[in-house]
Amino acid sequence: MPMNANFYALLEDKMRAAGDAPAFETSDGQILSYAKLIEDVGRSAAALRSLGVAPGDRVMAQVEKSIANVCLYLATLKIGAVFNPLNTAYTAAEIEYFISDATPKVIVVSPERQAEIETIIRASKVRAVQTMGSNGAGTFTDLAATQGPAGETVSRSADDLAALIYTSGTTGRSKGAMITHGNITSNAQVLHAYWGFRPGDVLLHALPIFHVHGLFIALHTSLLNTSRILWMPKFELAEFMRLLPRATVVMGVPTFYTRLLAEPSFGIDQCRNLRLAISGSAPLLAETHRDFTARTGLEILERYGMTEAGMITSNPYKGGTREPGTVGYPLPGVSVRIADAEGHALAAGEVGVLEVKGPNVFKGYWRNPEKTKEEFRTDGYFTTGDLATMAKDGRCTIVGRAKDLIITGGFNVYPKEIEGELNSLPGIGESAVVGVPHPDFGEGIIAVITPVPGQTPPNEADIIASLSKRLAKFKLPKRVFVAKDLPRNAMGKVQKNNLTAQYRETFKG
Ligand code: AMP
């Protein structure tokens, strides 16, 4: 019989062997053991089955971070279905699109959202809307509690889908990245070994779990290691500092580290057990890297990846140097090249688009073969859209983005989507949205609008209020400026670089 490539089957073996060892510990000191986690996943899996979810069906979850939410994820894998997590900040208008695209069998949402979603799904094939609140309680958890804990882990091949994760779309629409059991298994095993996971490791988990960083990278490595996971519903500085002394591993976005460094009482004492502090999802300033080392004696380990490919490169854990401002070397088994517009590898040091190939690279965009074809080379390399250089020894540095992406507080925002919403408001002629340096969020979003000739545009507060009905909070411009014209080049394209330069001081001091 071929081996079951279901990633949960691998985890389940490890977790069963761990028995009563602690899996999750919440801020109030409550502990869930690995044995109990297996049981809870079993009950959630039975609940999904009772709702009619079959292998290959999508389970959509727009749920706050909780252990029940983790069980829902693992249960989805266990029954061979496809987990489709959504950012909790998305509005009902945005979710409507995801439902029509992903056509989930079941949707789990917060109790406050239930009525809105039920209206949306009337015309769709969704079987059931279930609820799960921020503390994990809701109709789904109630249903799971009535189920038995045992049940088969469905056999999957490495090529079968495990998750459907939406990325921001350049055309304003998100694309669903199809991620297979083979993708997550290979990446989890490689990172577990590369970052030196060992018995006794304790992870401090403060990332969201609707994104690959918190859901896959942090959870998978630690569950494979059957580590104790100190579980925070979200990053909160004082609580993070309280728990940090017990952690050997943390994974964060650059904002975590800048906030820690802004706190005068943060230092070596909180990091006494820490062996690994990972940063990723957005560029870490070399200055933050150096300040952290000066304060704690530890070097942050920066790595680079994306939804479509999991982790791609990492600075070394052992041997070699962690060079500030670089993202390190391609991970074992992962091939990277820096290529020109035709996909030909460039010489060391030249700037081009980073392309990647390997078992970590996703299967393609959901129901979008044209886009998939566009982003893959004929020899199998995926074009990330990130501009990078590679040194002679293979060390990579990300220098910018070929696509027009803004990363604010770790979230990706494509200006085009916001511009579309702005242009539809009365009184606004044109708009351009750019990211400018922001001390806390890395980049802060600003919009520049022009009035419809002869009309007065709405004021800044009204514009932001209108957008907030349509767009998630993290996508809202923090400032809106009015200009007579937008700067354009000879081809009529808006020169966003000029706007970025003009407004780059917006969030300074
Ligand atoms: P996501 O799919 O949300 O994980 O976003 C992936 C994008 O985040 C990448 O394509 C990069 O543009 C950016 N990114 C991730 N890690 C890093 C890093 N260490 N340095 C610079 N950019 C990064």
Side-chain angles (χ1 to χ4, degrees):
M1 219 182 80
M3 219 185 73
N4 183 2
N6 187 328
F7 179 62
Y8 185 70
L10 174 67
L11 286 185
E12 202 173 26
D13 276 352
K14 306 268 180 201
M15 301 200 303
R16 187 156 286 128
D20 290 332
F24 289 97
E25 181 179 327
T26 48
S27 290
D28 57 4
Q30 289 207 46
I31 288 176
L32 183 81
S33 70
Y34 275 100
K36 183 72 171 49
L37 177 61
I38 292 178
E39 261 186 55
D40 287 357
V41 172
R43 291 182 207 280
S44 295
L48 287 174
R49 279 199 184 100
S50 78
L51 293 167
V53 181
D57 284 344
R58 275 76 56 210
V59 174
M60 181 179 277
Q62 193 197 28
V63 182
E64 293 296 339
K65 182 177 175 182
S66 68
I67 295 170
N69 186 353
V70 174
C71 289
L72 174 66
Y73 164 53
L74 297 176
T76 305
L77 295 184
K78 182 176 169 72
I79 65 166
V82 181
F83 193 60
N84 177 213
L86 295 181
N87 190 325
T88 44
Y90 284 134
T91 63
E94 287 163 311
I95 293 176
E96 191 166 0
Y97 161 72
F98 294 120
I99 293 174
S100 69
D101 192 60
T103 56
K105 184 65 75 68
V106 167
I107 307 181
V108 188
V109 291
S110 65
E112 301 79 42
R113 263 278 147 85
Q114 187 178 14
E116 269 177 310
I117 301 297
E118 277 179 343
T119 315
I120 292 173
I121 63 156
R122 248 173 236 146
S124 77
K125 290 204 183 80
V126 179
R127 279 267 187 94
V129 176
Q130 294 281 314
T131 64
M132 190 182 276
S134 53
N135 58 358
T139 58
F140 184 78
T141 310
D142 292 345
L143 178 65
T146 64
Q147 310 288 318
E152 164 210 25
T153 294
V154 170
S155 195
R156 297 276 84 185
S157 72
D159 201 38
D160 283 325
L161 296 196
L164 180 63
I165 304 203
Y166 281 94
T167 65
S168 321
T170 39
T171 53
R173 284 295 192 204
S174 296
K175 305 180 292 285
M178 297 191 287
I179 295 162
T180 66
H181 284 272
N183 295 151
I184 57 178
T185 303
S186 69
N187 221 222
Q189 289 176 323
V190 163
L191 295 174
H192 183 269
Y194 196 79
W195 290 339
F197 274 83
R198 55 195 189 210
D201 267 340
V202 175
L203 171 79
L204 178 52
H205 195 302
L207 290 162
I209 57 168
F210 50 72
H211 183 268
V212 292
H213 196 170
L215 184 67
F216 292 168
I217 313 309
L219 271 186
H220 290 174
T221 46
S222 293
L223 291 176
L224 260 189
N225 200 54
T226 56
S227 281
R228 182 193 293 255
I229 300 170
L230 306 176
W231 190 248
M232 292 181 64
K234 58 175 193 284
F235 180 84
E236 200 265 309
L237 185 64
E239 182 63 1
F240 194 89
M241 297 234 313
R242 183 180 78 82
L243 293 170
L244 193 53
R246 294 180 53 212
T248 65
V249 178
V250 289
M251 296 197 192
V253 289
T255 315
F256 285 17
Y257 298 104
T258 50
R259 292 206 180 152
L260 282 171
L261 289 168
E263 171 55 50
S265 66
F266 171 72
I268 206 157
D269 193 39
Q270 284 92 4
C271 300
R272 55 185 177 265
N273 283 314
L274 201 60
R275 68 166 186 87
L276 182 61
I278 303 267
S279 177
S281 292
L284 180 81
L285 292 177
E287 182 192 328
T288 310
H289 188 285
R290 292 194 188 101
D291 288 351
F292 193 87
T293 306
R295 193 86 79 84
T296 66
L298 277 169
E299 283 188 291
I300 297 175
L301 193 156
E302 184 171 9
R303 93 297 178 283
Y304 155 78
M306 67 194 310
T307 304
E308 291 93 330
M311 291 304 98
I312 301 169
T313 70
S314 172
N315 271 283
Y317 175 64
K318 270 195 301 234
T321 48
R322 300 181 196 170
E323 217 172 286
T326 80
V327 294
Y329 303 93
L331 286 164
V334 176
S335 307
V336 168
R337 69 183 177 206
I338 308 301
D340 63 14
E342 276 76 50
H344 300 126
L346 295 168
E350 284 189 64
V351 174
V353 170
L354 191 146
E355 301 190 351
V356 57
K357 184 175 168 175
N360 54 316
V361 176
F362 76 135
K363 201 170 161 169
Y365 293 112
W366 175 253
R367 294 179 176 165
N368 204 340
E370 302 83 42
K371 195 76 201 160
T372 304
K373 208 167 154 219
E374 250 172 59
E375 307 285 351
F376 278 91
R377 301 286 181 194
T378 46
D379 62 358
Y381 276 82
F382 171 67
T383 55
T384 61
D386 288 312
L387 295 173
T389 61
M390 189 190 265
K392 275 207 179 73
D393 69 347
R395 184 185 285 280
C396 298
T397 304
I398 307 294
V399 299
R401 292 183 292 271
K403 297 170 199 161
D404 209 2
L405 178 71
I406 299 172
I407 301 185
T408 178
F411 292 125
N412 290 359
V413 177
Y414 277 97
K416 211 157 179 171
E417 182 182 11
I418 300 153
E419 289 160 6
E421 296 289 350
L422 281 167
N423 297 347
S424 69
L425 295 178
I428 294 183
E430 295 178 321
S431 65
V433 167
V434 293
V436 295
H438 188 287
D440 204 16
F441 295 104
E443 288 184 279
I445 301 175
I446 64 145
V448 182
I449 59 155
T450 63
V452 173
Q455 292 186 23
T456 313
N459 71 32
E460 183 173 22
D462 289 347
I463 292 175
I464 294 175
S466 303
L467 291 183
S468 68
K469 297 197 190 101
R470 303 279 309 163
L471 296 170
K473 200 163 166 226
F474 68 84
K475 295 181 191 168
L476 298 177
K478 294 200 183 310
R479 294 298 316 270
V480 180
F481 301 99
V482 181
K484 218 162 114 280
D485 294 299
L486 296 176
R488 290 180 183 275
N489 69 12
M491 304 300 291
K493 286 197 201 310
V494 177
Q495 291 169 304
K496 290 205 165 170
N497 292 352
N498 289 5
L499 289 177
T500 314
Q502 190 181 340
Y503 292 100
R504 64 175 301 111
E505 304 285 312
T506 305
F507 301 113
K508 285 251 170 80

